[in-house]
């Protein structure tokens, strides 16, 4: 999809990607964790065209959260090494994966998920290990048993996976490094019982703290958000939502822009607007006031709204516009949404 | 779109609509506010097939939040009386509306929005009045001047609109009725200066408190959510997200289901699960524990997750499955999403 428009002609709300910042983020990661050292997580952007850029800069493998992301990347010829980093039980979906023209590895953390993968004809798996985040993953001491079980069911066990998701957002670097090391000690214990070449872990917040994983599953680094933007990591916010001021209330000192709960992931809280204070969001609106007694913008003014959380923001949008030097240079379909 | 599946065969996460409860909600509203007394708000479900049912039970007009909702309803032959209850400035979009095979009315609250509507060739408008919610709408005392301006620009002014959105969720009925009356007193003052037959206001929470509006813009009543479900109104929750337990951690006493931030609107907080306590949601997961020391469900168990806010939940999904007697009897495309 390629649509050339001026920034002024975009229908709002519109997802914008700063092309230069994206380039900076991709380059910075590829220099820090070249090639297979980073396995970009597709869930953060759900956009094949962006994945192509991550592939072009050297990252051969991808991490996916859904089978649809896997199918889309395979169809686009990006299936060199696809990891489904979530447990899936649906045999229909797993069979689709087994028949992709791609190298497919799935996460398993129980007898049931191993059984489902084996029945679907999948060939390779990672043992997903719980390293402290209360989510999926087997107990570290159970990993070896599950690996044996997977091998007995004919699966190749490539190694282990363990996501320190409760650590990636810690503001204090020393604490973040310390807790990452503790998590990876658990993953190491699991790996002893499992074997295999792959130790897959980490995220954008621990990309340079996690020295144990063979590959880092970073996703947010490409587009970033205000939550991650508060950390001391060298990635910058590339993603914003362009909105239009549609109403001004001079008496009460606020204006209303036409982006809201259906164009912004809200689990990390309100979005931000430079030089302004966001009051609240409604379905299609964001109410805000200007800081430091700055004049209110007029009706029709375009504003850039910074989402607090990139992943569920992108998932609301059909497309993202790449902007360079104030011009829309490309439009990418957010084509890997849904289930 | 009609896909007959068993409930067990649905890919999760899946949006479920209880057909009997939906019927109850639609009937209850149609009896309380028959025909044009209710102008159902499409933003709550974004589903043409559901709008057809609202039309079939007697509601001739619809309220829309986006131009795409307007275009979709017109294309489906549901364009008898469509109100765009939001301010839109984009001349391209407004021109599309002006050329629909439908009766189109748009909300205006400023000289700019009147000018945009007139330039696009639109014929009818409502003066949107601020009645206390810090969002769109002109000051009540400015409504008459704007109506004059709109008429001078060739627009037919059908009346006024004013949404008491800060009141619809008040738990105490007496307070809700009292504040609704105060809001409507402001709308009445505006209406004196504007004229016209239409006084459009209200929502699901004030559908039986607002005795001044000629029509109520209720949306959530059809599907409902846990937030509205806490009020003393006769509508029941029809909408849930079906999820599958994909991981169990018996040591720490929780399980993980495969629905999360990308299938649930989170601005009103966490979703609910009957007999369980939700710990938190991640992009594709909800972690929860069972109440009263009930045994944890096994991997593969289906769970029904109740969203806290219906509108931004539906906007994440491509389809909703209508369930009656435990069977999927219909599947409707959520076809009015996006902008």
């Amino acid at each position: 999809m390629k649509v050339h428009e001026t920034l002024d002609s975009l229908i709002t709300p519109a997802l914008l990607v700063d092309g230069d910042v994206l380039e900076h983020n991709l380059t910075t990661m590829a220099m820090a964790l070249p090639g297979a050292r980073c396995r970009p997580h597709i869930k953060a952007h759900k956009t094949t065209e962006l994945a192509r850029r991550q592939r072009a800069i050297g990252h051969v493998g991808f991490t996916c959260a859904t089978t649809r992301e896997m199918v889309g990347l395979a169809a686009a010829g990006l299936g060199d090494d696809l990891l489904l980093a979530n447990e899936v039980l649906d045999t229909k979906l797993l069979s689709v994966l087994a028949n992709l023209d791609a190298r497919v590895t799935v996460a398993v953390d129980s007898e049931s998920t191993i059984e489902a993968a084996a029945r679907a004809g999948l060939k390779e798996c990672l043992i997903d290990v719980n390293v402290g985040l209360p989510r999926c993953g087997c107990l570290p001491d159970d990993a070896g048993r599950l690996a044996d079980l997977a091998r007995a069911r004919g699966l190749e066990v490539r190694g282990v996976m363990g996501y320190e998701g409760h650590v990636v957002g810690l503001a204090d670097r020393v604490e973040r490094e310390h807790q990452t090391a503790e998590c990876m000690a658990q993953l190491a214990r699991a790996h002893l019982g499992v074997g295999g070449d792959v130790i897959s872990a980490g995220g954008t917040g621990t990309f340079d703290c996690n020295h144990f994983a063979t590959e880092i599953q970073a996703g947010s680094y490409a587009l970033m958000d205000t939550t991650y933007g508060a950390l001391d990591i060298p990635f910058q916010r590339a993603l914003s939502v362009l909105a239009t001021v549609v109403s001004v209330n001079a008496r009460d000192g606020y204006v209303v822009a036409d982006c809201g709960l259906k164009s912004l992931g809200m689990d990390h809280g309100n979005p931000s607007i430079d030089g302004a204070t966001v009051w609240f969001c409604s379905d299609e609106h964001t109410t805000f006031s200007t800081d430091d007694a700055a004049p209110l913008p007029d009706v029709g003014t375009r504003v850039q709204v910074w989402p607090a959380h990139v992943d569920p923001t992108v998932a609301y949008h059909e497309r993202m516009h790449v902007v360079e030097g104030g011009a829309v240079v490309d439009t990418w379909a957010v084509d890997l949404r849904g289930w």
Side-chain angles (χ1 to χ4, degrees), chain A:
Chain A
M1 185 163 70
K2 205 159 214 170
V3 185
H4 291 287
E5 295 183 89
T6 65
L7 206 46
D8 285 344
S9 74
L10 289 179
I11 290 169
T12 53
L15 210 51
L16 301 187
V17 178
D18 184 312
D20 295 327
V21 176
L22 173 64
E23 177 74 19
H24 162 83
N25 291 344
L26 297 185
T27 305
T28 302
M29 180 60 87
M31 288 177 69
L33 299 173
R37 285 277 291 126
C38 179
R39 184 187 284 278
H41 211 315
I42 293 301
K43 77 183 175 85
H45 58 70
K46 289 181 171 286
T47 300
T48 301
E49 283 304 316
L50 209 165
R52 279 193 210 284
R53 268 122 192 111
Q54 293 174 313
R55 177 69 186 82
I57 207 165
H59 307 302
V60 180
F62 290 103
T63 311
C64 295
T66 66
T67 56
R68 190 172 291 184
E69 292 168 13
M70 300 278 284
V71 169
L73 291 183
L78 298 169
D80 287 315
D81 188 355
L82 302 182
L83 168 62
L84 181 64
N86 283 347
E87 280 66 24
V88 169
L89 289 161
D90 189 294
T91 315
K92 286 193 309 270
L93 291 180
L94 292 174
S95 297
V96 168
L97 296 190
N99 290 302
L100 289 180
D101 181 20
R103 181 178 187 181
V104 170
T105 303
V106 298
V108 295
D109 71 350
S110 64
E111 296 176 25
S112 301
T113 44
I114 290 169
E115 185 60 29
R119 276 201 199 157
L122 285 160
K123 296 189 180 67
E124 299 184 282
C125 70
L126 292 183
I127 305 298
D128 185 6
V129 181
N130 188 303
V131 296
L133 175 70
R135 216 167 61 189
C136 301
C138 67
L139 301 181
D141 292 335
D142 202 30
R145 181 185 72 84
L146 290 172
D148 292 343
L149 187 66
R151 291 188 177 106
R153 289 295 280 114
L155 288 159
E156 169 81 20
V157 180
R158 294 182 66 187
V160 293
M161 183 189 110
Y163 177 51
E164 68 274 25
H166 54 307
V167 177
V168 294
L170 294 176
D172 184 81
R173 168 169 290 273
V174 174
E175 185 62 21
R176 199 157 78 239
E177 290 187 337
H178 173 68
Q179 288 199 31
T180 299
E182 284 189 341
C183 294
M184 291 304 105
Q186 297 183 65
L187 194 56
R189 199 165 82 240
H191 186 247
L192 277 179
V194 171
D197 296 333
V198 177
I199 300 170
S200 194
T204 295
T206 56
F207 90 104
D208 61 352
C209 302
N210 191 323
H211 309 296
F212 177 69
T214 60
E215 58 179 43
I216 300 293
Q217 298 178 0
S220 301
Y221 79 97
L223 297 176
M224 293 290 283
D225 52 38
T226 59
T227 305
Y228 258 132
L231 291 188
D232 57 343
I233 49 178
F235 310 108
Q236 297 161 15
R237 294 177 305 182
L239 185 84
S240 59
V241 177
L242 184 72
T244 304
V245 172
V246 293
S247 191
V248 175
N249 189 319
R251 183 194 65 185
D252 299 332
Y254 69 80
V255 304
V256 184
D258 64 352
C259 71
L261 305 175
K262 289 172 179 165
S263 51
L264 294 158
M266 294 297 293
D267 61 293
H268 284 20
N270 281 338
S272 306
I273 300 173
D274 294 344
T277 298
V278 170
W279 291 18
F280 68 101
C281 295
S282 313
D283 279 340
E284 301 286 357
H285 294 124
T286 295
T287 296
F288 68 95
S289 55
T290 49
D291 295 339
D292 304 322
L296 294 175
D298 293 328
V299 171
T301 305
R302 296 295 182 108
V303 292
Q304 230 178 332
V305 180
W306 300 101
H309 192 187
V310 54
D311 308 47
T313 294
V314 172
Y316 270 130
H317 293 261
E318 294 171 14
R319 60 189 75 86
M320 55 178 74
H321 304 281
V322 185
V323 178
E324 289 174 16
V328 178
V329 297
D330 216 342
T331 297
W332 297 339
V334 186
D335 54 347
L336 306 175
R337 305 189 300 158
W339 304 275

